[in-house]
């Protein structure tokens, strides 16, 4: 792609560094900004710049927060001895939107992935282990995605906690509510049969 | 979507104002920036800000340019009495990349679209008419997309030039080189039969 303007070329290049944004999409986005009032670009630039400079991570759960201890961790109504381990803040937001969880979170910031050069030392794992070993946690819920990396990370944490007396669980995998059986993949369907639950329990939850 | 951080919420909101970027994608992009070194965000913010503040449009063809007259318009080797009418700079880049056109361009900045509130007065049409009426142009090539809006815009310009002696043409529509006939849509295939060209001409061009 040849550009008649170095300014345009630079903006498109930087935009195309974002994941899933190719050169053509980047050009489309940048040209859109040029067609809009100047204020739109100023607001975008300001919001991104401020976020990157002033962002804080909760000192307790490592989730993104504007203050040192996030709203969830500082909420006295949350169950403090139950911790749900998630990958990033999107998972926190997803679980919070269900309204079904009243415990705290621990955000790892990723999953162990040797292929991408991400080891346990790059994640917020040691602080989790410390927290658990200090005895303030009764139940750990593993809520990482059920991929190779997620399972590896779960297992690594599980091994680190050998000898510690704590209840551990993992979120249920199965056929989505309202999903048709015929469209489910075999592994999910298989797991949902192996991990079937008593009918009375299902009645209670519905 | 509920955010634990106002800074994050603001950044996601501004990002989701870009076309084709929903809230979820915006969150993914912003979280990506947070995981990357600070310099990446700084470069992006700087490039967009500088572009929006310092961008110029060529005074002759209205294409994006870093100087008052763009490289194409100021190139003495270009054919100066042939003008290709295009919608935006992406079309200029596409035609330039073919290496088949040696004339100048005129960038309209859009197409007439009453549905979007875009009339002739919002586009660079009057300067084109003036240019043509001044007698410095021998051939006009219409290269807008073959949509309702493109055709409307073409026709509007064409009517404005009634009585002016000038050669006008439109880029050829037909089956793409290397495309299979069976996959072509009927309208394109129909046009390519109606507008068939002498075999000898096709031989010369290939």
């Amino acid at each position: 792609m040849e550009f008649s303007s170095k300014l345009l070329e630079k903006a498109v290049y930087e935009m195309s560094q974002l994941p899933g944004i190719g050169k053509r999409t980047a050009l489309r986005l940048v040209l859109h900004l040029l067609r809009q009032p100047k204020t739109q670009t100023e607001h975008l630039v300001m919001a991104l710049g401020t976020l990157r400079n002033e962002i804080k991570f909760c000192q307790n759960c490592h989730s993104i927060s504007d203050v040192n201890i996030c709203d969830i961790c500082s909420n006295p109504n949350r169950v403090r001895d139950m911790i749900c381990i998630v990958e990033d803040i999107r998972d926190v937001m997803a679980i919070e939107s269900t309204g079904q969880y009243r415990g705290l979170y621990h955000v790892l910031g990723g999953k162990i992935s040797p292929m991408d050069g991400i080891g346990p030392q790059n994640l917020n794992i040691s602080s989790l282990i410390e927290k658990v070993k200090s005895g303030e946690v009764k139940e750990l819920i593993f809520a990482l995605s059920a991929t190779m990396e997620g399972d590896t990370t779960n297992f690594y944490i599980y091994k680190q906690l050998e000898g510690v007396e704590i209840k551990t669980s993992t979120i249920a995998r199965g056929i989505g509510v309202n999903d048709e059986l015929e469209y489910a993949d075999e592994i999910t369907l298989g797991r949902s049969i192996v991990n079937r639950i008593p009918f009375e329990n299902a009645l209670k939850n519905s």
Side-chain angles (χ1 to χ4, degrees), chain A:
Chain A
M1 226 186 248
E2 272 207 38
F3 290 89
S4 58
S5 155
K6 288 269 167 245
L7 291 173
L8 181 66
E9 182 168 12
K10 180 84 180 121
V12 169
Y13 170 79
E14 292 297 341
M15 204 64 140
S16 70
Q17 297 302 298
L18 294 172
I21 309 268
K23 275 271 167 94
R24 270 166 201 274
T25 307
L27 179 57
R28 191 164 56 82
L29 297 179
V30 169
L31 290 179
H32 172 85
L33 283 176
L34 284 177
R35 272 194 300 268
Q36 299 301 309
K38 220 181 218 183
T39 47
Q40 185 173 342
T41 309
E42 287 166 357
H43 288 162
L44 174 63
V45 159
M46 179 73 85
L48 290 179
T50 315
L51 173 75
R52 196 63 184 84
N53 281 319
E54 297 182 10
I55 194 70
K56 289 201 182 80
F57 293 91
C58 172
Q59 288 170 2
N60 188 43
C61 72
H62 305 288
S63 182
I64 292 172
S65 166
D66 292 347
V67 285
N68 289 333
I69 300 290
C70 76
D71 289 351
I72 295 176
C73 287
S74 61
N75 183 342
N77 296 323
R78 308 285 302 211
V79 178
R80 307 200 72 79
D81 56 6
M82 182 190 270
I83 290 187
C84 180
I85 306 174
V86 294
E87 191 184 334
D88 68 21
I89 191 173
R90 281 177 291 183
D91 306 321
V92 174
M93 289 164 67
I95 297 176
E96 282 299 289
S97 71
T98 68
Q100 295 289 325
Y101 181 65
R102 299 299 304 157
L104 304 183
Y105 295 92
H106 187 94
V107 177
L108 294 180
K111 289 172 290 192
I112 296 176
S113 173
M115 297 280 283
D116 304 314
I118 302 175
Q121 71 285 357
N122 304 116
L123 304 173
N124 303 316
I125 290 182
S126 56
S127 58
L128 172 69
I129 306 296
E130 270 173 47
K131 219 186 286 179
V132 173
K133 286 195 173 166
S134 75
E136 56 188 277
V137 186
K138 282 217 188 86
E139 179 170 358
L140 264 190
I141 303 172
F142 290 90
L144 301 185
S145 53
T147 57
M148 177 90 84
E149 289 84 11
D151 288 343
T152 306
T153 313
N154 285 343
F155 191 66
Y156 177 85
I157 295 171
Y158 187 76
K159 289 296 277 185
Q160 295 286 309
L161 294 173
E162 256 178 351
V164 181
E165 212 171 292
I166 187 167
K167 194 172 151 194
T168 53
S169 59
T170 169
I171 55 170
R173 308 280 172 185
I175 309 296
V177 179
N178 293 333
D179 275 4
E180 301 281 355
L181 248 61
E182 55 178 326
Y183 299 122
D185 67 287
E186 297 92 348
I187 296 176
T188 303
L189 186 53
R191 282 206 197 182
S192 79
I193 291 175
V194 174
N195 300 323
R196 63 193 177 278
I197 57 170
F199 193 72
E200 298 79 33
N201 293 7
L203 272 182
K204 263 183 273 171
N205 295 334
S206 67

